[in-house]
């Protein structure tokens, strides 16, 4: 029996296969969509998943302005930001974010579901969110992914 046949093979940065994936956010619930996107960004949908390696795919999200929230969360939820200075705490609702920067609502949700460390910041760079149906990544030939 070959003693090396039982060894677990761990992927590293050189052997990780990063593909491009297209996600249409039209009429999707924000939280459910964000959790699925975070899963693909992390690489947990692959059989070669390794926790300490960036295994995830590049995710292109289109129609981020047509995402929805259940209940009264769209108007009543409060998102807090804090600058670090006295009196620097700000409150904003998802409705106000959607009016100014529609893509940031999806980005904010996905970022909250990624690890809070260097790996999470590196994974977040693989997320590309666009408010409309057009995106500049057609040359990468992203495969459409439905949730």
């Amino acid at each position: 029996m070959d003693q090396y046949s039982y060894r677990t093979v761990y992927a590293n940065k050189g052997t990780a296969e990063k593909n491009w994936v297209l996600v249409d956010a039209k009429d999707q619930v924000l939280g459910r969509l964000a959790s699925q996107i975070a899963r693909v960004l992390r690489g947990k949908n692959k059989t070669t998943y390794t926790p300490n390696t960036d295994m995830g795919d590049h995710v292109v999200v289109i129609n981020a302005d047509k995402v929805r929230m259940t209940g009264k969360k769209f108007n009543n939820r409060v998102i807090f930001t804090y600058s670090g200075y006295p009196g620097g705490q700000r409150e904003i609702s998802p409705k106000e974010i959607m009016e100014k920067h529609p893509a940031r609502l999806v980005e904010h949700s996905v970022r909250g579901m990624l690890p809070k460390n260097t790996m999470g910041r590196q994974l977040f760079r693989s997320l590309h969110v666009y408010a409309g149906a057009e995106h500049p990544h057609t040359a990468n030939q992203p495969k459409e992914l439905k949730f």
Side-chain angles (χ1 to χ4, degrees):
M1 182 65 55
D2 184 19
Q3 65 182 7
Y4 297 110
S5 64
Y6 291 104
R7 293 199 179 199
T8 303
V9 178
Y10 292 104
N12 57 28
K13 193 173 185 178
T15 61
E17 187 179 321
K18 293 179 70 86
N19 301 319
W20 284 77
V21 176
L22 179 70
V23 176
D24 190 2
K26 186 176 182 182
D27 296 329
Q28 297 280 333
V29 178
L30 180 63
R32 294 172 188 270
L33 176 72
S35 63
Q36 292 294 328
I37 291 171
R39 190 171 155 268
V40 173
L41 281 173
R42 191 91 200 266
K44 287 192 166 191
N45 58 336
K46 297 183 179 182
T47 57
T48 58
Y49 170 70
T50 307
N52 62 343
T53 307
D54 182 5
M55 299 285 306
D57 297 332
H58 289 272
V59 179
V60 179
V61 181
I62 58 172
N63 292 323
D65 55 345
K66 294 179 177 69
V67 75
R68 66 184 182 89
M69 297 176 89
T70 58
K72 297 180 181 179
K73 287 180 256 184
F74 195 69
N75 295 319
N76 295 349
R77 174 159 287 186
V78 179
I79 296 172
F80 294 95
T81 59
Y82 181 58
S83 66
Y85 289 96
Q89 183 172 335
R90 304 281 184 255
E91 298 177 357
I92 191 166
S93 71
K95 183 178 182 181
E96 294 168 358
I97 294 174
M98 190 68 86
E99 290 169 359
K100 293 180 183 177
H101 307 284
R104 284 200 192 151
L105 195 58
V106 175
E107 289 174 354
H108 179 77
S109 322
V110 173
R111 178 174 271 164
M113 296 181 185
L114 291 175
K116 278 66 173 178
N117 54 20
T118 311
M119 173 69 82
R121 290 186 290 276
Q122 181 182 352
L123 292 170
F124 186 71
R125 285 189 218 125
S126 297
L127 178 66
H128 312 279
V129 183
Y130 300 99
E134 300 296 320
H135 63 88
H137 304 285
T138 51
N140 299 2
Q141 299 173 346
K143 295 183 181 97
E144 189 166 349
L145 187 65
K146 296 193 181 209
F147 299 127

